[in-house]
Every structure is written in structure tokens, then in C-alpha cells.
Amino acid sequence: MKSQVMAVGALVFLAFSGFAQNPKEREDRPARLIDSLQGPDLYKAYCAVCHGSDAKGKGPLAKWLRTAPADLTRIASRNGGSFPLARVRRVISGAESMSAGHGTREMPVWGPIFSQVDRDQDLGRVRIDNLARYLESLQTK
């Protein structure tokens, strides 16, 4: 039963991530970026499926992951009350690895995707910054 649930979860993940497409189609076009550069839109498009629309780690795919998604509203509280903006940017971009989850097959890093087009390198940094600042705005008081 558990393996069936895992299989269904994997299929849902693949469908959401575009891996269920024909491999030739994937080669011909890069992962699709949303048009918006706004933090809330980026969060909804790339993070909410695992971390949840409220960023508390209870997204629709969370139950199928080996590593539970973090409650992103408590980043500051886990860091002595201060939001580590630079570190969050590095984690999102893939420049800093996390011990569990982020950067694995289960939790991709978004920097390479956000900056995948040569002409889009600066916009990739803008996306990362806007997403990190949006996460900062979600912190519990």
C-alpha cells in the first residue's frame, strides 16, 4: 500500500514538474518560467506545491516527500529572530546546500531555472531576491 501511495505521489510530482512529457519535447525547450517577477507569484508557482499556500510546509505533495517541507514562516524564529536574507537567497539559488530537502531531487534549487536563459541572468537574481523578500514578509511575529 505504501509503495502504491509513493508511486501515485511520484506521478503527481512528475506531472506538476513537466517530466511526464515526451523526452524529445523536454530537450527542445527549457523549463517554463512564469512571466511575473513578483515574490508572491513566484512562491505560488514554484514553492506552494510542497510548502503550501500558507508556507507552513503542508502543500499537496508534502505527504509524499521523504523530507518534510519546512515551515517557511518560521525561518526568522529558527535563526534567533532575525531573517537571514542573504542565506535564504543562497539556498534558493543553490549556492548553499541544505542538509535535507533543498537541492535534492525532491526539492530542486531554483537559481539555475530562474537564470536559465543567457539574456535572463539578471532577471534570475531579481526573481531570487523577490522570492526571498516575500518569504521574509511571511515570518511569524
Side-chain angles (χ1 to χ4, degrees), residues 65-124:
L65 301 175
R66 272 181 264 133
T67 302
D71 178 346
L72 300 177
T73 67
R74 301 193 41 79
I75 296 171
S77 68
R78 290 191 301 264
N79 286 277
S82 177
F83 187 81
L85 184 61
R87 181 170 184 256
V88 170
R89 284 187 197 119
R90 290 191 308 270
V91 169
I92 293 169
S93 73
E96 183 170 326
S97 63
M98 300 273 303
S99 59
H102 218 289
T104 66
R105 294 172 136 258
E106 288 183 332
M107 178 61 221
V109 292
W110 295 109
I113 294 167
F114 288 169
S115 301
Q116 67 186 335
V117 182
D118 287 340
R119 64 177 171 74
D120 200 34
Q121 294 294 310
D122 289 334
L123 291 179

Side-chain angles (χ1 to χ4, degrees), residues 2-134:
K2 184 176 180 180
S3 62
Q4 290 173 328
V5 170
M6 292 295 286
V8 169
L11 289 174
V12 170
F13 176 75
L14 292 175
F16 274 109
S17 63
F19 286 104
Q21 300 169 348
N22 176 328
K24 181 65 177 151
E25 290 176 26
R26 284 196 317 262
E27 288 175 19
D28 293 342
R29 62 188 168 124
R32 185 179 159 320
L33 291 171
I34 63 170
D35 292 330
S36 177
L37 298 176
Q38 301 304 308
D41 297 333
L42 294 166
Y43 180 84
K44 182 178 179 184
Y46 300 106
C47 310
V49 70
C50 293
H51 290 280
S53 59
D54 63 358
K56 293 184 183 258
K58 304 291 185 202
L61 293 184
K63 62 184 169 188
W64 287 298
L65 301 175
R66 272 181 264 133
T67 302
D71 178 346
L72 300 177
T73 67
R74 301 193 41 79
I75 296 171
S77 68
R78 290 191 301 264
N79 286 277
S82 177
F83 187 81
L85 184 61
R87 181 170 184 256
V88 170
R89 284 187 197 119
R90 290 191 308 270
V91 169
I92 293 169
S93 73
E96 183 170 326
S97 63
M98 300 273 303
S99 59
H102 218 289
T104 66
R105 294 172 136 258
E106 288 183 332
M107 178 61 221
V109 292
W110 295 109
I113 294 167
F114 288 169
S115 301
Q116 67 186 335
V117 182
D118 287 340
R119 64 177 171 74
D120 200 34
Q121 294 294 310
D122 289 334
L123 291 179
R125 287 186 280 278
V126 169
R127 286 181 182 96
I128 290 166
D129 185 61
N130 288 349
L131 180 53
R133 288 181 186 278
Y134 175 67

